[in-house]
Amino acid sequence: MREMLVHNFEPVFSGDSKILILGSFPSVKSREQGFYYGHPRNRFWRVMAEICGEDTPLSIEDKKKFLLNNKIALWDVIKSCEIENSSDASVRNVTANDIGIILDNSSVSRVFANGRLAGNLYNKYCLEKTGREITVLPSTSPANAAYSFEELAAEWKITGREL
């Protein structure tokens, strides 16, 4: 059953952030944990650590420090929506976050989407307001079994060139 949910954690960014990575909406595991990419099989943190040449951060505090130290801003496109569990295909009745909060208060020069849904939603709800194009990268979700870790890291390397 789909239920209306509101995004319940803040974006991570600073005035020094150079890139913005946007997901669509937190998964069930991320909502339970209260932070981004909380599913143990989501490869986001491993991929970013590989690109930045660091150990994979484990705690929420370490993940926040990792993002800020590497000048990465992180948020989701969706502020609220109807969703069934963590299914991208079930997302309906979207209200978008105000991405300008980050873009107006940071040094972000490039915006990246973690997966097609985030890219499509950004283009539909945010592009006109921000005037910033988004580069869509393959999802790091465990549901994206088409990509191995090595293939994801290779595709995501573009984010490291901006840092």
Side-chain angles (χ1 to χ4, degrees), residues 45-46 48-49 54-59 62-64 66-67:
W45 297 108
R46 276 185 60 213
M48 295 310 297
E54 296 188 23
D55 292 333
T56 303
L58 300 176
S59 71
D62 285 346
K63 290 173 182 179
K64 287 179 182 178
F66 172 87
L67 293 168

Side-chain angles (χ1 to χ4, degrees), residues 12 15 17-18 31 37 59 63-64 107 112 130 147 151 153 157 163:
V12 178
S17 298
K18 291 187 175 188
R31 294 190 303 264
Y37 307 108
S59 71
K63 290 173 182 179
K64 287 179 182 178
S107 302
F112 297 93
T130 67
Y147 281 82
E151 290 167 324
K157 268 200 178 3
L163 299 174

Side-chain angles (χ1 to χ4, degrees), residues 13-14 25 31 35 57 64 71 93-94 116 151 155:
F13 72 99
S14 75
F25 192 76
R31 294 190 303 264
F35 201 65
K64 287 179 182 178
K71 299 178 175 22
N93 297 320
V94 169
R116 194 173 331 135
E151 290 167 324
E155 292 281 335

Side-chain angles (χ1 to χ4, degrees), residues 18-22 73-75 99 102-103 108 110-113:
K18 291 187 175 188
I19 67 168
L20 169 59
I21 299 173
L22 294 169
L74 187 63
W75 207 10
I99 305 303
I102 295 175
L103 299 179
V108 166
R110 292 280 307 269
V111 181
F112 297 93

